[in-house]
Amino acid sequence: QVQLVESGGGLVQAGGSLSLSCAASGRTFRSYAMGWFRQPPGKERNFVAAVNWSGGKTAYADSVKGRFTISIDNVKNTVYLQMNSLKPEDTAVYYCAIDTNPVYYAVSATQASYDYWGQGTQVTVSS
């Protein structure tokens, strides 16, 4: 069983920054990818960013490119999401997820690729 524990959400004013982290435990991972998704109020959950286990491959949703940065510490099995220049439309519950069987060095924006999910952390950006 794999556990993902997120932390770092909260309330911030527009233009501010927040950093999220997500630690994976419960199994030894050989190669994997980790991603962040978010679900705004009343909307579907969507892809935000993903990174492979080495940190050498990343992907971002167009809406966050240039503002968010995903990174990984593969010793700690922890993924981070640095969010800058936050906008009210970034308000959502943010979920991290892990793909334990990725295509070679690839990262996926598809939710179905991810095997385990965290409980989610709320990010609220006030205008």
Side-chain angles (χ1 to χ4, degrees):
Q1 187 69 16
V2 176
Q3 294 84 39
L4 299 174
V5 179
E6 299 132 335
S7 60
L11 173 65
V12 65
Q13 288 188 332
S17 299
L18 276 177
S19 181
L20 306 181
S21 64
C22 174
S25 63
R27 237 177 71 179
T28 300
F29 305 102
R30 296 185 61 184
S31 66
Y32 58 95
M34 296 188 77
W36 288 97
F37 293 78
R38 66 186 182 186
Q39 186 168 19
K43 297 184 179 180
E44 295 183 346
R45 188 164 59 186
N46 290 308
F47 172 73
V48 176
V51 62
N52 72 342
W53 70 277
S54 71
K57 180 77 173 177
T58 58
Y60 294 92
D62 288 343
S63 59
V64 305
K65 280 181 182 176
R67 299 188 298 123
F68 291 11
T69 302
I70 191 169
S71 60
I72 193 165
D73 182 334
N74 56 29
V75 174
K76 297 180 179 179
N77 290 335
T78 298
V79 65
Y80 305 93
L81 186 68
Q82 178 64 41
M83 305 183 292
N84 298 328
S85 302
L86 283 161
K87 305 175 182 179
E89 51 263 44
D90 294 318
T91 295
V93 177
Y94 283 70
Y95 298 90
C96 75
I98 185 168
D99 177 359
T100 59
N101 189 29
V103 176
Y104 184 73
Y105 285 135
V107 293
S108 174
T110 303
Q111 295 186 53
S113 298
Y114 293 83
D115 312 285
Y116 299 93
W117 293 79
Q119 79 285 356
T121 186
Q122 177 70 45
V123 171
T124 303
V125 184
S126 63
S127 57

